[in-house]
Amino acid sequence: VQLQASGGGLVQPGESLRLSCATSGFSLEYSAIGWFRQVPGKEREGVSCISHYDGATDYSDSVKGRFTISRDIAKNTVYLQMNSLKPEDTAVYYCARKATICSEYGYNYDYWGQGTQVTVSS
């Protein structure tokens, strides 16, 4: 089982980025994929999640309306489209896998990607 997050970078406030989480070793149809972010010295925060089968999605209040999670089952990839980025979105973003439905709690996830840095700064 592997997850590899990519697509991070340095952008200005108001700009967009799309993160990708390439997965292998399991089926997205039977797994939930969550995006989390962490800033040094702060707790890890759940950002968004997409559940198995029906692809139900969930977002934290801090990103609702700006971020969109989606998946391409054929490509085994989950995306996080981030629009209207703010400096407070700066963090290392991780994708993680758990069985079936989403959870906001990172400890429920059993496999994690390596993280990709997103920096929003003028």
Side-chain angles (χ1 to χ4, degrees):
V1 173
Q2 287 190 325
L3 299 94
Q4 184 166 357
S6 63
L10 171 64
V11 296
Q12 294 188 347
E15 293 186 338
S16 299
L17 277 176
R18 188 177 79 160
L19 304 184
S20 298
C21 178
T23 72
S24 62
F26 62 93
S27 172
L28 291 179
E29 290 182 287
Y30 303 103
S31 302
I33 300 296
W35 284 99
F36 294 80
R37 64 187 182 187
Q38 190 163 24
V39 176
K42 293 188 176 182
E43 288 190 2
R44 182 174 55 199
E45 175 190 11
V47 174
S48 183
C49 184
I50 186 164
S51 287
H52 80 306
Y53 191 62
D54 64 353
T57 59
D58 197 15
Y59 300 92
S60 67
D61 288 342
S62 61
V63 307
K64 199 170 293 183
R66 299 188 297 122
F67 290 12
T68 303
I69 191 170
S70 62
R71 65 183 182 181
D72 185 330
I73 292 177
K75 294 184 178 180
N76 296 316
T77 302
V78 174
Y79 304 99
L80 185 67
Q81 178 67 42
M82 306 187 296
N83 298 332
S84 302
L85 283 162
K86 304 175 181 180
E88 51 263 45
D89 295 318
T90 295
V92 177
Y93 283 71
Y94 300 88
C95 57
R97 179 263 179 202
K98 69 178 296 292
T100 62
I101 63 173
C102 287
S103 171
E104 64 182 287
Y105 302 110
Y107 56 73
N108 286 327
Y109 292 74
D110 49 10
Y111 294 97
W112 291 77
Q114 83 289 1
T116 185
Q117 176 71 47
V118 172
T119 303
V120 185
S121 175
S122 55

